[in-house]
Amino acid sequence: MRGGRHIAAVSGASFDLAAGECLVLVGESGCGKSVLASALLGLLPGNAQTAGTAHADGVELLGASERTLARTVRGRRIGLIPQSPAAHLTPVRTVRSQLEETLRELTSARGRELRDGAVAAAERAAFPADHLDRHPHELSGGLAQRAATALALVGDAPLLLADEPTTGLDRELVGRTTDELRRHVDEGRALLMITHDLAAAERIADRVAVMYAGRIVELADAKRFFGEPGPRHPYARGLLSALPERDFTPIPGLPPELGALPDGCAFAARCAVATPACDTRPAFEDALACHHPSAQETARA
């Protein structure tokens, strides 16, 4: 709720995520990606309302109490790499002490095992060992990001939510981070990754979910999405075309405000293949929410 109005930040989102699989959620800023991740962990503001079901490792997340989420879900069943890592790090404690505390809570590690575990966690996230005794305010944005990644990986939770995990990293570190997250998945865990970095998404994803104006508008196999025949939704195709290594052609216009969505397709005003049929909101069928999949294929050809 904002200013006495109800705003549907995310609506009708439906997907599954298996162990050993990475689903990457992409879309422009403000489309609802981070809201969806926060809802799964019960981290939305107090005036937010949720409806529906979301299960993880036997727990119904949306109906769980704060006590259940804090004691049995966060860090244990679901790890989180937050979008704003500095806000999630304890400012008065060093990175080492936070890693050791997390290890102590989630494992039976003690003494030397605890100290070695903290160093190993930092190494997994490419966090330099000689920075472990620094406080969060002494870290750059990229180092804070890597510290948060190390904390999220400590417990080897069955599901990891990574919200923009490569923000502030150079391309080499982006590659190292995505490769470590991929290794995490290949060991039999699930990963929901939210990112603007489509190059990182292509490197790590098994499937891609495209979100626009609070709705998932396409779910696709990653190889088909980034290769041939490519995305089916015109918005998804526009995201790829905007990449410098592709057409470098931006999508015209701006997304609609979530509090003032049109009755029909929310992308119609920016879409090159829109017709009067788009005045009606398309249903999500066959992993796609669009009235003109055949027209898209014709335009692409």
Side-chain angles (χ1 to χ4, degrees):
M1 180 180 292
R2 180 185 298 171
R5 294 184 301 147
H6 286 276
I7 296 176
V10 177
S11 60
S14 178
F15 59 87
D16 56 14
L17 181 57
E21 181 184 28
C22 172
L23 175 66
V24 174
L25 186 60
V26 300
E28 291 167 293
S29 296
C31 69
K33 304 186 302 297
S34 295
V35 171
L36 177 58
S38 296
L40 295 177
L41 281 171
L43 297 176
L44 292 173
N47 63 345
Q49 299 175 1
T50 59
T53 59
H55 296 274
D57 199 25
V59 176
E60 209 301 292
L61 301 175
L62 298 185
S65 66
E66 173 59 26
R67 180 185 179 90
T68 297
L69 291 169
R71 293 195 172 190
T72 68
V73 175
R74 298 179 192 136
R76 291 173 171 81
R77 287 179 168 87
I78 304 177
L80 173 67
I81 302 176
Q83 184 178 30
S84 302
H88 285 72
L89 297 171
T90 304
V92 296
R93 302 188 58 185
T94 65
V95 175
R96 186 191 304 275
S97 68
Q98 293 182 61
L99 284 169
E100 290 184 356
E101 179 185 31
T102 303
L103 274 166
R104 189 182 298 111
E105 289 183 359
L106 299 180
T107 71
S108 58
R110 294 292 183 273
R112 178 63 181 272
E113 186 181 10
L114 198 64
R115 293 189 292 274
D116 290 346
V119 173
E123 184 177 357
R124 289 178 67 186
F127 186 89
D130 59 359
H131 285 51
L132 280 169
D133 292 314
R134 295 190 179 187
H135 291 81
H137 73 272
E138 299 177 290
L139 304 177
S140 67
L143 283 171
Q145 184 70 61
R146 284 180 270 169
T149 299
L151 284 165
L153 292 172
V154 159
D156 285 326
L159 171 60
L160 181 63
L161 302 183
D163 192 353
E164 300 289 357
T166 60
T167 297
L169 306 183
D170 61 32
R171 293 316 302 179
E172 179 183 355
L173 286 173
V174 168
R176 289 184 62 177
T177 299
T178 53
D179 288 349
E180 181 57 44
L181 294 176
R182 184 68 240 185
R183 189 176 300 113
H184 186 80
V185 173
D186 290 340
E187 291 173 354
R189 304 176 189 93
L191 170 64
L192 175 61
M193 177 172 164
I194 295 167
T195 187
H196 289 91
D197 189 339
L198 292 177
E202 183 174 7
R203 185 169 181 144
I204 194 173
D206 294 301
R207 288 187 298 149
V208 178
V210 182
M211 180 169 277
Y212 186 78
R215 297 185 71 202
I216 292 177
V217 296
E218 182 171 359
L219 269 170
D221 174 81
K223 290 182 179 179
R224 184 189 68 75
F225 185 88
F226 290 107
E228 291 294 337
R232 293 185 292 162
H233 197 284
Y235 173 64
R237 292 194 4 242
L239 290 177
L240 291 186
S241 294
L243 294 176
E245 61 270 26
R246 300 212 180 194
D247 296 339
F248 206 23
T249 303
I251 302 172
L254 295 172
E257 291 288 335
L258 292 178
L261 294 177
D263 293 333
C265 174
F267 186 64
R270 308 171 72 188
C271 182
V273 297
T275 69
C278 303
D279 292 340
T280 301
R281 174 180 286 195
F284 188 78
E285 297 176 342
D286 188 27
L288 182 71
C290 185
H291 289 298
H292 303 297
S294 59
Q296 295 162 33
E297 293 298 323
T298 300
R300 184 177 58 83

